[in-house]
PDB file of all heavy atoms in Angstrom:
ATOM      1  N   LYS C 909     -17.879 -41.131 -30.341  1.00  0.00           N
ATOM      2  CA  LYS C 909     -17.993 -41.558 -31.790  1.00  0.00           C
ATOM      3  C   LYS C 909     -19.010 -42.669 -31.996  1.00  0.00           C
ATOM      4  O   LYS C 909     -18.759 -43.560 -32.791  1.00  0.00           O
ATOM      5  CB  LYS C 909     -16.623 -42.017 -32.336  1.00  0.00           C
ATOM      6  CG  LYS C 909     -15.560 -40.980 -32.126  1.00  0.00           C
ATOM      7  CD  LYS C 909     -15.299 -40.185 -33.395  1.00  0.00           C
ATOM      8  CE  LYS C 909     -14.256 -39.155 -33.268  1.00  0.00           C
ATOM      9  NZ  LYS C 909     -14.712 -37.786 -33.367  1.00  0.00           N
ATOM     10  N   ASP C 911     -22.734 -44.005 -33.401  1.00  0.00           N
ATOM     11  CA  ASP C 911     -23.465 -43.691 -34.616  1.00  0.00           C
ATOM     12  C   ASP C 911     -24.211 -42.386 -34.420  1.00  0.00           C
ATOM     13  O   ASP C 911     -25.037 -42.264 -33.494  1.00  0.00           O
ATOM     14  CB  ASP C 911     -24.421 -44.860 -34.938  1.00  0.00           C
ATOM     15  CG  ASP C 911     -25.180 -44.574 -36.190  1.00  0.00           C
ATOM     16  OD1 ASP C 911     -24.529 -44.604 -37.241  1.00  0.00           O
ATOM     17  OD2 ASP C 911     -26.370 -44.286 -36.138  1.00  0.00           O
ATOM     18  N   ASN C 936     -45.250 -38.671 -32.826  1.00  0.00           N
ATOM     19  CA  ASN C 936     -45.878 -37.646 -33.603  1.00  0.00           C
ATOM     20  C   ASN C 936     -44.955 -36.413 -33.787  1.00  0.00           C
ATOM     21  O   ASN C 936     -44.829 -35.942 -34.893  1.00  0.00           O
ATOM     22  CB  ASN C 936     -47.177 -37.190 -32.976  1.00  0.00           C
ATOM     23  CG  ASN C 936     -48.377 -37.947 -33.485  1.00  0.00           C
ATOM     24  OD1 ASN C 936     -48.419 -38.322 -34.699  1.00  0.00           O
ATOM     25  ND2 ASN C 936     -49.338 -38.265 -32.647  1.00  0.00           N
ATOM     26  N   PHE C 942     -39.546 -34.143 -38.472  1.00  0.00           N
ATOM     27  CA  PHE C 942     -38.739 -34.740 -39.527  1.00  0.00           C
ATOM     28  C   PHE C 942     -39.273 -34.338 -40.909  1.00  0.00           C
ATOM     29  O   PHE C 942     -38.484 -33.996 -41.813  1.00  0.00           O
ATOM     30  CB  PHE C 942     -38.659 -36.245 -39.395  1.00  0.00           C
ATOM     31  CG  PHE C 942     -37.672 -36.963 -40.305  1.00  0.00           C
ATOM     32  CD1 PHE C 942     -36.355 -36.942 -40.049  1.00  0.00           C
ATOM     33  CD2 PHE C 942     -38.121 -37.632 -41.454  1.00  0.00           C
ATOM     34  CE1 PHE C 942     -35.460 -37.604 -40.837  1.00  0.00           C
ATOM     35  CE2 PHE C 942     -37.221 -38.262 -42.300  1.00  0.00           C
ATOM     36  CZ  PHE C 942     -35.891 -38.232 -41.995  1.00  0.00           C
ATOM     37  N   ARG C 946     -37.376 -31.420 -43.823  1.00  0.00           N
ATOM     38  CA  ARG C 946     -36.808 -32.020 -45.021  1.00  0.00           C
ATOM     39  C   ARG C 946     -36.030 -30.954 -45.851  1.00  0.00           C
ATOM     40  O   ARG C 946     -35.135 -31.348 -46.623  1.00  0.00           O
ATOM     41  CB  ARG C 946     -37.954 -32.594 -45.947  1.00  0.00           C
ATOM     42  CG  ARG C 946     -38.455 -33.936 -45.500  1.00  0.00           C
ATOM     43  CD  ARG C 946     -39.605 -34.385 -46.392  1.00  0.00           C
ATOM     44  NE  ARG C 946     -40.706 -33.405 -46.277  1.00  0.00           N
ATOM     45  CZ  ARG C 946     -41.792 -33.367 -47.094  1.00  0.00           C
ATOM     46  NH1 ARG C 946     -41.877 -34.226 -48.075  1.00  0.00           N
ATOM     47  NH2 ARG C 946     -42.724 -32.509 -46.921  1.00  0.00           N
ATOM     48  N   THR C 949     -32.340 -31.341 -46.333  1.00  0.00           N
ATOM     49  CA  THR C 949     -31.759 -32.349 -47.163  1.00  0.00           C
ATOM     50  C   THR C 949     -31.906 -32.025 -48.640  1.00  0.00           C
ATOM     51  O   THR C 949     -31.551 -32.839 -49.513  1.00  0.00           O
ATOM     52  CB  THR C 949     -32.481 -33.708 -46.800  1.00  0.00           C
ATOM     53  OG1 THR C 949     -32.397 -33.891 -45.361  1.00  0.00           O
ATOM     54  CG2 THR C 949     -31.783 -34.901 -47.418  1.00  0.00           C
ATOM     55  N   GLY C 959     -21.895 -34.913 -59.601  1.00  0.00           N
ATOM     56  CA  GLY C 959     -21.377 -36.257 -59.954  1.00  0.00           C
ATOM     57  C   GLY C 959     -20.992 -36.343 -61.450  1.00  0.00           C
ATOM     58  O   GLY C 959     -19.958 -36.846 -61.795  1.00  0.00           O
ATOM     59  N   ARG C 963     -17.179 -36.766 -63.348  1.00  0.00           N
ATOM     60  CA  ARG C 963     -16.861 -37.796 -64.346  1.00  0.00           C
ATOM     61  C   ARG C 963     -16.256 -37.097 -65.600  1.00  0.00           C
ATOM     62  O   ARG C 963     -15.441 -37.705 -66.269  1.00  0.00           O
ATOM     63  CB  ARG C 963     -18.122 -38.579 -64.704  1.00  0.00           C
ATOM     64  CG  ARG C 963     -17.850 -39.740 -65.638  1.00  0.00           C
ATOM     65  CD  ARG C 963     -19.128 -40.541 -65.911  1.00  0.00           C
ATOM     66  NE  ARG C 963     -19.658 -41.210 -64.718  1.00  0.00           N
ATOM     67  CZ  ARG C 963     -19.291 -42.423 -64.341  1.00  0.00           C
ATOM     68  NH1 ARG C 963     -18.401 -43.101 -65.079  1.00  0.00           N
ATOM     69  NH2 ARG C 963     -19.831 -42.966 -63.280  1.00  0.00           N
ATOM     70  N   ASP C 968      -9.909 -32.755 -62.536  1.00  0.00           N
ATOM     71  CA  ASP C 968      -8.753 -32.668 -63.387  1.00  0.00           C
ATOM     72  C   ASP C 968      -8.446 -31.271 -63.781  1.00  0.00           C
ATOM     73  O   ASP C 968      -7.295 -30.812 -63.809  1.00  0.00           O
ATOM     74  CB  ASP C 968      -8.963 -33.531 -64.656  1.00  0.00           C
ATOM     75  CG  ASP C 968      -9.335 -34.966 -64.304  1.00  0.00           C
ATOM     76  OD1 ASP C 968     -10.526 -35.155 -63.886  1.00  0.00           O
ATOM     77  OD2 ASP C 968      -8.524 -35.850 -64.388  1.00  0.00           O
ATOM     78  N   ASP C 972      -5.249 -28.863 -63.079  1.00  0.00           N
ATOM     79  CA  ASP C 972      -4.541 -28.178 -64.157  1.00  0.00           C
ATOM     80  C   ASP C 972      -4.332 -26.702 -63.825  1.00  0.00           C
ATOM     81  O   ASP C 972      -3.251 -26.133 -64.021  1.00  0.00           O
ATOM     82  CB  ASP C 972      -5.348 -28.226 -65.444  1.00  0.00           C
ATOM     83  CG  ASP C 972      -5.357 -29.621 -66.058  1.00  0.00           C
ATOM     84  OD1 ASP C 972      -4.635 -30.485 -65.530  1.00  0.00           O
ATOM     85  OD2 ASP C 972      -6.064 -29.867 -67.063  1.00  0.00           O
ATOM     86  N   LEU C1001     -18.742 -26.733 -55.329  1.00  0.00           N
ATOM     87  CA  LEU C1001     -17.878 -27.808 -55.838  1.00  0.00           C
ATOM     88  C   LEU C1001     -17.366 -28.599 -54.684  1.00  0.00           C
ATOM     89  O   LEU C1001     -16.857 -28.048 -53.716  1.00  0.00           O
ATOM     90  CB  LEU C1001     -16.688 -27.169 -56.575  1.00  0.00           C
ATOM     91  CG  LEU C1001     -17.080 -26.416 -57.837  1.00  0.00           C
ATOM     92  CD1 LEU C1001     -15.828 -25.825 -58.505  1.00  0.00           C
ATOM     93  CD2 LEU C1001     -17.756 -27.342 -58.822  1.00  0.00           C
ATOM     94  N   ARG C1011      -2.617 -33.626 -50.381  1.00  0.00           N
ATOM     95  CA  ARG C1011      -1.532 -34.588 -50.429  1.00  0.00           C
ATOM     96  C   ARG C1011      -0.862 -34.675 -51.779  1.00  0.00           C
ATOM     97  O   ARG C1011       0.358 -34.547 -51.861  1.00  0.00           O
ATOM     98  CB  ARG C1011      -2.027 -35.972 -49.962  1.00  0.00           C
ATOM     99  CG  ARG C1011      -0.855 -36.934 -49.808  1.00  0.00           C
ATOM    100  CD  ARG C1011      -1.215 -38.354 -49.617  1.00  0.00           C
ATOM    101  NE  ARG C1011      -0.143 -39.151 -50.252  1.00  0.00           N
ATOM    102  CZ  ARG C1011       0.750 -39.822 -49.576  1.00  0.00           C
ATOM    103  NH1 ARG C1011       0.722 -39.835 -48.267  1.00  0.00           N
ATOM    104  NH2 ARG C1011       1.665 -40.467 -50.187  1.00  0.00           N
ATOM    105  N   GLU C1031      12.967 -31.993 -40.670  1.00  0.00           N
ATOM    106  CA  GLU C1031      11.694 -32.625 -40.372  1.00  0.00           C
ATOM    107  C   GLU C1031      10.662 -31.634 -39.873  1.00  0.00           C
ATOM    108  O   GLU C1031       9.479 -31.663 -40.232  1.00  0.00           O
ATOM    109  CB  GLU C1031      11.862 -33.722 -39.309  1.00  0.00           C
ATOM    110  CG  GLU C1031      12.036 -35.090 -39.970  1.00  0.00           C
ATOM    111  CD  GLU C1031      12.128 -36.161 -38.898  1.00  0.00           C
ATOM    112  OE1 GLU C1031      11.937 -35.906 -37.747  1.00  0.00           O
ATOM    113  OE2 GLU C1031      12.416 -37.318 -39.317  1.00  0.00           O
ATOM    114  N   ASP C1035       7.096 -30.619 -41.502  1.00  0.00           N
ATOM    115  CA  ASP C1035       5.827 -30.745 -40.772  1.00  0.00           C
ATOM    116  C   ASP C1035       5.068 -29.445 -40.779  1.00  0.00           C
ATOM    117  O   ASP C1035       3.853 -29.457 -40.938  1.00  0.00           O
ATOM    118  CB  ASP C1035       6.148 -31.150 -39.296  1.00  0.00           C
ATOM    119  CG  ASP C1035       5.750 -32.604 -39.042  1.00  0.00           C
ATOM    120  OD1 ASP C1035       5.691 -33.387 -40.015  1.00  0.00           O
ATOM    121  OD2 ASP C1035       5.479 -32.952 -37.864  1.00  0.00           O
ATOM    122  N   LYS C1038       3.444 -28.924 -44.070  1.00  0.00           N
ATOM    123  CA  LYS C1038       2.294 -29.862 -44.191  1.00  0.00           C
ATOM    124  C   LYS C1038       1.100 -29.354 -43.410  1.00  0.00           C
ATOM    125  O   LYS C1038      -0.021 -29.349 -43.914  1.00  0.00           O
ATOM    126  CB  LYS C1038       2.708 -31.245 -43.642  1.00  0.00           C
ATOM    127  CG  LYS C1038       3.607 -32.032 -44.573  1.00  0.00           C
ATOM    128  CD  LYS C1038       4.021 -33.330 -43.921  1.00  0.00           C
ATOM    129  CE  LYS C1038       4.974 -34.132 -44.823  1.00  0.00           C
ATOM    130  NZ  LYS C1038       5.504 -35.330 -44.154  1.00  0.00           N
ATOM    131  N   ASN C1046      -8.849 -26.530 -44.888  1.00  0.00           N
ATOM    132  CA  ASN C1046      -9.895 -26.435 -43.925  1.00  0.00           C
ATOM    133  C   ASN C1046     -10.468 -25.020 -43.842  1.00  0.00           C
ATOM    134  O   ASN C1046     -11.690 -24.871 -43.803  1.00  0.00           O
ATOM    135  CB  ASN C1046      -9.411 -26.882 -42.531  1.00  0.00           C
ATOM    136  CG  ASN C1046      -9.233 -28.357 -42.405  1.00  0.00           C
ATOM    137  OD1 ASN C1046      -9.790 -29.112 -43.214  1.00  0.00           O
ATOM    138  ND2 ASN C1046      -8.502 -28.803 -41.429  1.00  0.00           N
ATOM    139  N   GLN C1072     -38.073 -22.994 -35.178  1.00  0.00           N
ATOM    140  CA  GLN C1072     -38.260 -22.227 -33.993  1.00  0.00           C
ATOM    141  C   GLN C1072     -39.208 -21.016 -34.251  1.00  0.00           C
ATOM    142  O   GLN C1072     -39.352 -20.154 -33.371  1.00  0.00           O
ATOM    143  CB  GLN C1072     -36.904 -21.683 -33.473  1.00  0.00           C
ATOM    144  CG  GLN C1072     -35.862 -22.742 -33.225  1.00  0.00           C
ATOM    145  CD  GLN C1072     -36.216 -23.686 -32.072  1.00  0.00           C
ATOM    146  OE1 GLN C1072     -36.846 -23.249 -31.123  1.00  0.00           O
ATOM    147  NE2 GLN C1072     -35.835 -24.924 -32.163  1.00  0.00           N
ATOM    148  N   HIS C1099      -1.819 -15.166 -42.446  1.00  0.00           N
ATOM    149  CA  HIS C1099      -1.234 -16.297 -41.767  1.00  0.00           C
ATOM    150  C   HIS C1099      -0.102 -16.961 -42.616  1.00  0.00           C
ATOM    151  O   HIS C1099       0.957 -17.309 -42.116  1.00  0.00           O
ATOM    152  CB  HIS C1099      -2.335 -17.337 -41.505  1.00  0.00           C
ATOM    153  CG  HIS C1099      -2.002 -18.408 -40.546  1.00  0.00           C
ATOM    154  ND1 HIS C1099      -2.246 -19.734 -40.804  1.00  0.00           N
ATOM    155  CD2 HIS C1099      -1.449 -18.365 -39.322  1.00  0.00           C
ATOM    156  CE1 HIS C1099      -1.852 -20.449 -39.794  1.00  0.00           C
ATOM    157  NE2 HIS C1099      -1.368 -19.652 -38.863  1.00  0.00           N
TER     158      HIS C1099
ATOM    159  N   GLU O1350     -43.124 -30.275 -52.748  1.00  0.00           N
ATOM    160  CA  GLU O1350     -43.382 -31.693 -52.603  1.00  0.00           C
ATOM    161  C   GLU O1350     -42.852 -32.450 -53.836  1.00  0.00           C
ATOM    162  O   GLU O1350     -42.360 -33.571 -53.712  1.00  0.00           O
ATOM    163  CB  GLU O1350     -44.876 -31.998 -52.391  1.00  0.00           C
ATOM    164  CG  GLU O1350     -45.397 -31.610 -51.036  1.00  0.00           C
ATOM    165  CD  GLU O1350     -44.641 -32.295 -49.859  1.00  0.00           C
ATOM    166  OE1 GLU O1350     -44.167 -33.447 -50.061  1.00  0.00           O
ATOM    167  OE2 GLU O1350     -44.577 -31.688 -48.796  1.00  0.00           O
ATOM    168  N   PHE O1390     -39.977 -39.279 -47.325  1.00  0.00           N
ATOM    169  CA  PHE O1390     -39.877 -38.073 -48.086  1.00  0.00           C
ATOM    170  C   PHE O1390     -41.065 -37.874 -49.055  1.00  0.00           C
ATOM    171  O   PHE O1390     -41.489 -36.755 -49.290  1.00  0.00           O
ATOM    172  CB  PHE O1390     -38.547 -38.001 -48.897  1.00  0.00           C
ATOM    173  CG  PHE O1390     -37.425 -37.325 -48.156  1.00  0.00           C
ATOM    174  CD1 PHE O1390     -36.927 -37.887 -47.024  1.00  0.00           C
ATOM    175  CD2 PHE O1390     -36.956 -36.105 -48.573  1.00  0.00           C
ATOM    176  CE1 PHE O1390     -35.930 -37.238 -46.276  1.00  0.00           C
ATOM    177  CE2 PHE O1390     -35.947 -35.465 -47.892  1.00  0.00           C
ATOM    178  CZ  PHE O1390     -35.434 -36.027 -46.752  1.00  0.00           C
ATOM    179  N   TRP O1399     -47.110 -40.052 -36.665  1.00  0.00           N
ATOM    180  CA  TRP O1399     -46.375 -41.111 -35.862  1.00  0.00           C
ATOM    181  C   TRP O1399     -45.769 -42.143 -36.741  1.00  0.00           C
ATOM    182  O   TRP O1399     -44.786 -42.821 -36.373  1.00  0.00           O
ATOM    183  CB  TRP O1399     -47.299 -41.684 -34.803  1.00  0.00           C
ATOM    184  CG  TRP O1399     -48.501 -42.428 -35.320  1.00  0.00           C
ATOM    185  CD1 TRP O1399     -49.769 -41.925 -35.489  1.00  0.00           C
ATOM    186  CD2 TRP O1399     -48.552 -43.817 -35.701  1.00  0.00           C
ATOM    187  NE1 TRP O1399     -50.603 -42.907 -35.974  1.00  0.00           N
ATOM    188  CE2 TRP O1399     -49.875 -44.061 -36.125  1.00  0.00           C
ATOM    189  CE3 TRP O1399     -47.618 -44.843 -35.792  1.00  0.00           C
ATOM    190  CZ2 TRP O1399     -50.301 -45.313 -36.586  1.00  0.00           C
ATOM    191  CZ3 TRP O1399     -48.014 -46.114 -36.259  1.00  0.00           C
ATOM    192  CH2 TRP O1399     -49.362 -46.332 -36.636  1.00  0.00           C
ATOM    193  N   THR O1412     -28.836 -47.877 -38.708  1.00  0.00           N
ATOM    194  CA  THR O1412     -27.475 -47.325 -38.703  1.00  0.00           C
ATOM    195  C   THR O1412     -26.782 -47.706 -37.403  1.00  0.00           C
ATOM    196  O   THR O1412     -25.568 -47.956 -37.449  1.00  0.00           O
ATOM    197  CB  THR O1412     -27.433 -45.779 -38.887  1.00  0.00           C
ATOM    198  OG1 THR O1412     -28.174 -45.176 -37.813  1.00  0.00           O
ATOM    199  CG2 THR O1412     -28.049 -45.365 -40.176  1.00  0.00           C
ATOM    200  N   ASP O1423     -20.386 -47.268 -60.053  1.00  0.00           N
ATOM    201  CA  ASP O1423     -19.642 -47.110 -61.278  1.00  0.00           C
ATOM    202  C   ASP O1423     -18.777 -45.887 -61.108  1.00  0.00           C
ATOM    203  O   ASP O1423     -19.244 -44.744 -61.381  1.00  0.00           O
ATOM    204  CB  ASP O1423     -20.607 -47.013 -62.435  1.00  0.00           C
ATOM    205  CG  ASP O1423     -19.919 -46.663 -63.747  1.00  0.00           C
ATOM    206  OD1 ASP O1423     -18.636 -46.588 -63.780  1.00  0.00           O
ATOM    207  OD2 ASP O1423     -20.605 -46.455 -64.760  1.00  0.00           O
ATOM    208  N   SER O1430     -11.871 -39.596 -66.770  1.00  0.00           N
ATOM    209  CA  SER O1430     -12.112 -38.172 -66.476  1.00  0.00           C
ATOM    210  C   SER O1430     -11.006 -37.287 -67.077  1.00  0.00           C
ATOM    211  O   SER O1430     -11.281 -36.176 -67.508  1.00  0.00           O
ATOM    212  CB  SER O1430     -12.217 -37.955 -64.960  1.00  0.00           C
ATOM    213  OG  SER O1430     -10.948 -38.120 -64.335  1.00  0.00           O
ATOM    214  N   ARG O1431      -9.790 -37.821 -67.193  1.00  0.00           N
ATOM    215  CA  ARG O1431      -8.715 -37.030 -67.797  1.00  0.00           C
ATOM    216  C   ARG O1431      -9.036 -36.783 -69.308  1.00  0.00           C
ATOM    217  O   ARG O1431      -8.913 -35.646 -69.796  1.00  0.00           O
ATOM    218  CB  ARG O1431      -7.427 -37.833 -67.711  1.00  0.00           C
ATOM    219  CG  ARG O1431      -6.155 -37.115 -68.160  1.00  0.00           C
ATOM    220  CD  ARG O1431      -5.792 -35.941 -67.284  1.00  0.00           C
ATOM    221  NE  ARG O1431      -6.093 -34.706 -67.923  1.00  0.00           N
ATOM    222  CZ  ARG O1431      -6.003 -33.487 -67.331  1.00  0.00           C
ATOM    223  NH1 ARG O1431      -5.557 -33.446 -66.102  1.00  0.00           N
ATOM    224  NH2 ARG O1431      -6.277 -32.435 -67.985  1.00  0.00           N
ATOM    225  N   ASP O1492     -24.336 -41.250 -61.500  1.00  0.00           N
ATOM    226  CA  ASP O1492     -23.445 -40.384 -60.744  1.00  0.00           C
ATOM    227  C   ASP O1492     -24.148 -39.756 -59.536  1.00  0.00           C
ATOM    228  O   ASP O1492     -23.521 -39.500 -58.500  1.00  0.00           O
ATOM    229  CB  ASP O1492     -22.849 -39.284 -61.622  1.00  0.00           C
ATOM    230  CG  ASP O1492     -21.829 -39.881 -62.576  1.00  0.00           C
ATOM    231  OD1 ASP O1492     -21.004 -40.679 -62.092  1.00  0.00           O
ATOM    232  OD2 ASP O1492     -21.846 -39.561 -63.757  1.00  0.00           O
ATOM    233  N   GLN O1508     -30.922 -32.658 -41.116  1.00  0.00           N
ATOM    234  CA  GLN O1508     -32.367 -32.705 -40.944  1.00  0.00           C
ATOM    235  C   GLN O1508     -32.785 -33.210 -39.561  1.00  0.00           C
ATOM    236  O   GLN O1508     -33.640 -32.650 -38.909  1.00  0.00           O
ATOM    237  CB  GLN O1508     -32.959 -33.604 -42.033  1.00  0.00           C
ATOM    238  CG  GLN O1508     -34.455 -33.683 -42.052  1.00  0.00           C
ATOM    239  CD  GLN O1508     -34.988 -34.583 -43.205  1.00  0.00           C
ATOM    240  OE1 GLN O1508     -34.235 -34.940 -44.089  1.00  0.00           O
ATOM    241  NE2 GLN O1508     -36.252 -34.931 -43.095  1.00  0.00           N
ATOM    242  N   THR O1518     -37.017 -27.625 -27.936  1.00  0.00           N
ATOM    243  CA  THR O1518     -37.845 -26.446 -27.635  1.00  0.00           C
ATOM    244  C   THR O1518     -39.165 -26.892 -27.042  1.00  0.00           C
ATOM    245  O   THR O1518     -39.619 -26.348 -26.042  1.00  0.00           O
ATOM    246  CB  THR O1518     -38.028 -25.611 -28.870  1.00  0.00           C
ATOM    247  OG1 THR O1518     -36.752 -25.315 -29.421  1.00  0.00           O
ATOM    248  CG2 THR O1518     -38.752 -24.305 -28.510  1.00  0.00           C
ATOM    249  N   MET O1603     -11.246 -34.014 -31.969  1.00  0.00           N
ATOM    250  CA  MET O1603     -12.563 -34.752 -32.197  1.00  0.00           C
ATOM    251  C   MET O1603     -12.967 -34.684 -33.651  1.00  0.00           C
ATOM    252  O   MET O1603     -13.691 -35.570 -34.142  1.00  0.00           O
ATOM    253  CB  MET O1603     -13.625 -34.140 -31.338  1.00  0.00           C
ATOM    254  CG  MET O1603     -13.420 -34.338 -29.831  1.00  0.00           C
ATOM    255  SD  MET O1603     -13.408 -36.054 -29.356  1.00  0.00           S
ATOM    256  CE  MET O1603     -15.007 -36.551 -29.964  1.00  0.00           C
ATOM    257  N   LEU O1614      -2.450 -38.828 -43.471  1.00  0.00           N
ATOM    258  CA  LEU O1614      -2.320 -38.870 -44.928  1.00  0.00           C
ATOM    259  C   LEU O1614      -1.096 -38.187 -45.439  1.00  0.00           C
ATOM    260  O   LEU O1614      -0.447 -38.558 -46.401  1.00  0.00           O
ATOM    261  CB  LEU O1614      -3.580 -38.159 -45.506  1.00  0.00           C
ATOM    262  CG  LEU O1614      -4.011 -38.415 -46.930  1.00  0.00           C
ATOM    263  CD1 LEU O1614      -4.406 -39.820 -47.118  1.00  0.00           C
ATOM    264  CD2 LEU O1614      -5.175 -37.475 -47.254  1.00  0.00           C
ATOM    265  N   LEU O1615      -0.704 -37.117 -44.715  1.00  0.00           N
ATOM    266  CA  LEU O1615       0.497 -36.335 -45.095  1.00  0.00           C
ATOM    267  C   LEU O1615       1.743 -36.896 -44.420  1.00  0.00           C
ATOM    268  O   LEU O1615       2.836 -36.341 -44.597  1.00  0.00           O
ATOM    269  CB  LEU O1615       0.326 -34.887 -44.715  1.00  0.00           C
ATOM    270  CG  LEU O1615      -0.692 -34.049 -45.517  1.00  0.00           C
ATOM    271  CD1 LEU O1615      -0.979 -32.740 -44.849  1.00  0.00           C
ATOM    272  CD2 LEU O1615      -0.190 -33.820 -46.940  1.00  0.00           C
ATOM    273  N   GLU O1616       1.564 -37.941 -43.614  1.00  0.00           N
ATOM    274  CA  GLU O1616       2.683 -38.571 -42.929  1.00  0.00           C
ATOM    275  C   GLU O1616       3.509 -37.536 -42.098  1.00  0.00           C
ATOM    276  O   GLU O1616       4.720 -37.498 -42.194  1.00  0.00           O
ATOM    277  CB  GLU O1616       3.627 -39.293 -43.914  1.00  0.00           C
ATOM    278  CG  GLU O1616       2.897 -40.465 -44.599  1.00  0.00           C
ATOM    279  CD  GLU O1616       3.618 -40.936 -45.848  1.00  0.00           C
ATOM    280  OE1 GLU O1616       4.809 -41.213 -45.728  1.00  0.00           O
ATOM    281  OE2 GLU O1616       3.010 -40.986 -46.907  1.00  0.00           O
ATOM    282  N   LYS O1618       5.190 -35.974 -38.689  1.00  0.00           N
ATOM    283  CA  LYS O1618       5.814 -36.574 -37.508  1.00  0.00           C
ATOM    284  C   LYS O1618       4.957 -36.309 -36.270  1.00  0.00           C
ATOM    285  O   LYS O1618       4.757 -37.185 -35.411  1.00  0.00           O
ATOM    286  CB  LYS O1618       7.212 -35.951 -37.253  1.00  0.00           C
ATOM    287  CG  LYS O1618       8.177 -36.243 -38.387  1.00  0.00           C
ATOM    288  CD  LYS O1618       8.684 -37.669 -38.353  1.00  0.00           C
ATOM    289  CE  LYS O1618       9.438 -38.021 -39.621  1.00  0.00           C
ATOM    290  NZ  LYS O1618       8.620 -38.035 -40.913  1.00  0.00           N
ATOM    291  N   ASN O1619       4.429 -35.062 -36.196  1.00  0.00           N
ATOM    292  CA  ASN O1619       3.576 -34.660 -35.087  1.00  0.00           C
ATOM    293  C   ASN O1619       2.136 -34.727 -35.536  1.00  0.00           C
ATOM    294  O   ASN O1619       1.708 -34.038 -36.490  1.00  0.00           O
ATOM    295  CB  ASN O1619       3.975 -33.227 -34.715  1.00  0.00           C
ATOM    296  CG  ASN O1619       3.016 -32.582 -33.730  1.00  0.00           C
ATOM    297  OD1 ASN O1619       2.009 -33.236 -33.319  1.00  0.00           O
ATOM    298  ND2 ASN O1619       3.278 -31.368 -33.345  1.00  0.00           N
ATOM    299  N   SER O1626      -1.205 -25.561 -36.513  1.00  0.00           N
ATOM    300  CA  SER O1626      -1.147 -24.541 -37.554  1.00  0.00           C
ATOM    301  C   SER O1626      -2.393 -23.731 -37.651  1.00  0.00           C
ATOM    302  O   SER O1626      -2.416 -22.608 -38.187  1.00  0.00           O
ATOM    303  CB  SER O1626      -0.911 -25.229 -38.902  1.00  0.00           C
ATOM    304  OG  SER O1626       0.073 -26.191 -38.867  1.00  0.00           O
ATOM    305  N   GLN O1627      -3.497 -24.294 -37.209  1.00  0.00           N
ATOM    306  CA  GLN O1627      -4.802 -23.576 -37.314  1.00  0.00           C
ATOM    307  C   GLN O1627      -5.169 -22.752 -36.116  1.00  0.00           C
ATOM    308  O   GLN O1627      -6.065 -21.904 -36.169  1.00  0.00           O
ATOM    309  CB  GLN O1627      -5.903 -24.664 -37.567  1.00  0.00           C
ATOM    310  CG  GLN O1627      -5.839 -25.288 -38.884  1.00  0.00           C
ATOM    311  CD  GLN O1627      -6.751 -26.463 -39.076  1.00  0.00           C
ATOM    312  OE1 GLN O1627      -6.973 -26.885 -40.199  1.00  0.00           O
ATOM    313  NE2 GLN O1627      -7.269 -27.039 -38.000  1.00  0.00           N
TER     314      GLN O1627
END
Side-chain angles (χ1 to χ4, degrees):
Chain C
K909 305 261 180 246
D911 182 69
N936 267 324
F942 189 76
R946 282 176 299 168
T949 309
R963 185 178 294 273
D968 306 74
D972 288 355
L1001 296 179
R1011 188 191 147 106
E1031 265 184 8
D1035 251 24
K1038 285 176 182 174
N1046 285 342
Q1072 304 292 329
H1099 193 228
Chain O
E1350 287 303 330
F1390 267 67
W1399 64 265
T1412 59
D1423 172 5
S1430 71
R1431 186 67 255 175
D1492 289 315
Q1508 182 179 347
T1518 306
M1603 293 298 302
L1614 200 63
L1615 290 167
E1616 295 164 53
K1618 298 285 170 294
N1619 170 359
S1626 313
Q1627 289 170 165

